[in-house]
Each structure stands twice: as C-alpha cells, then as structure tokens.
Amino acid sequence: NKVIAHIPSLGTTLLSVDSTPLPSVCFEFVMTFALLFTIYGTAINTQSAANGSHVLAPLPIGFAVTVCVGVSYGFTGGSLNPARTIGPAIITHTFTNHWVYWVGPMGAAVVMGLLQRYVFLVDTGPMSNSNNSSKKIRGYEFNKKKQASIEPVADSSFSSSPSHHHRRNSTISLDEIESHDTID
C-alpha cells in the first residue's frame, strides 16, 4: 500500500496549474451537461425509441465523451463523473480541489434532470392539443380523469413474463403511480 501511495498519478484527476476551482467547477458542469444532453437526446428520448434511432445512441454518446474529455482534459483532467475521480483519489491520497469533481457534474445532473422532467417531457405531438383529453408520456397514457392506461409492451421478454400478464391493458390511477416506486 505504501508503494502505491508514492506513485503520483494513477489516473488522478487534478486541476491544471493555471486553473482555479470556480472556473473549473463551471467547466466540469458544462462538459457534463453536454454529455448528459447527448444521452437524454439519443438514448432516453421517447421519440428516439419510437422511431428506432435509439439503437444508434452509443455512437453520439461515445463521440460526446471523447469530445468532452478531450476538451476538458487540459483544464480539469476531464472527469465528468465523481465515481471516476474518487477511485484514483483514494488510492493516491490526493484530494486537492476534489469538491470540483463533485459539484460540477452533480450540478449538471440535477439541472439536466429538471430540464428533462419539466421541459423535455412536455409532449408537443398531436396528442398534446386541447381537443384531445389524453397525453402519452413514457408508455403511460394520461387523461383528464387522472387515469393511466398501460399499453402492452412489444418486448417479448417483458410481455411473456407471467408476473406482468395481469397488468396488460389495465387502467390505474395517476395517484397510484405516484405513490409507488414501481408498478408490478
């Protein structure tokens, strides 16, 4: 253990000598936000799943990781992820400005989560007009009576499961969905 503690790097993310903590937090925030924006836009977006383009999601996500780490490497070490930072920091006992790698990415995750929830999940499709009483979000169809209709899932591994047959095409209240973490 003492031998490892004397090795200076081992992948430890450190600020460059010209960087200060506050701009570095902002930089980590922006780079992490760009990565999360790509992930939400390609892999999580319901329209991507509907037209099948989510299958290609790893390509833009990989490109975003490459660009974001490449751009930020010279300034902050290109962490974008607290888990990627804490491992080498524990091994090398190097926690200098370690908070930068927690505040920036976690702040970006919170902002992106809020944007996803309150901005990007707003359905602008044909079902969102005022003449239609229902709205579909992530496989649930909500109507003005606060009821949710669960559509059958096309995935054969899910729909063939005996434990889920009783929920196919059933209607449950929105309050029931909000009060439970999962629906079995």
Side-chain angles (χ1 to χ4, degrees):
N1 190 14
K2 290 182 180 181
V3 174
I4 293 175
H6 294 292
I7 299 173
S9 178
L10 289 179
T12 304
T13 48
L14 298 170
L15 301 181
S16 72
V17 291
D18 298 332
S19 296
T20 57
L22 187 57
S24 298
V25 167
C26 295
F27 205 71
E28 282 284 317
F29 179 95
V30 169
M31 292 295 111
T32 304
F33 186 86
L35 174 61
L36 291 173
F37 189 82
T38 304
I39 292 169
Y40 275 98
T42 58
I44 299 175
N45 185 332
T46 55
Q47 290 177 343
S48 296
N51 67 19
S53 64
H54 69 287
V55 175
L56 298 175
L59 294 174
I61 292 170
F63 182 73
V65 168
T66 303
V67 169
C68 290
V69 170
V71 168
S72 63
Y73 185 77
F75 302 101
T76 64
S79 175
L80 312 178
N81 183 351
R84 184 261 174 264
T85 300
I86 196 166
I90 289 171
I91 297 297
T92 62
H93 305 284
T94 307
F95 295 96
T96 308
N97 293 320
H98 201 261
W99 64 275
V100 167
Y101 303 106
W102 288 83
V103 174
M106 289 179 138
V110 168
V111 170
M112 191 62 213
L114 291 171
L115 283 173
Q116 175 70 10
R117 172 82 166 127
Y118 295 108
V119 176
F120 298 133
L121 273 182
V122 176
D123 190 3
T124 58
M127 294 181 74
S128 65
N129 62 24
S130 60
N131 297 335
N132 196 333
S133 65
S134 65
K135 185 176 194 178
K136 191 168 187 173
I137 298 176
R138 297 227 178 156
Y140 298 105
E141 186 171 343
F142 297 95
N143 60 31
K144 290 181 181 176
K145 295 178 186 176
K146 288 184 127 184
Q147 298 289 315
S149 174
I150 300 175
E151 302 291 327
V153 177
D155 182 10
S156 62
S157 64
F158 179 81
S159 63
S160 64
S161 173
S163 65
H164 292 92
H165 281 287
H166 68 281
R167 281 290 187 193
R168 295 181 87 197
N169 294 322
S170 63
T171 300
I172 58 175
S173 72
L174 180 58
D175 295 328
E176 183 179 336
I177 292 172
E178 291 173 348
S179 68
H180 292 87
D181 291 332
T182 59
I183 301 172
D184 291 330

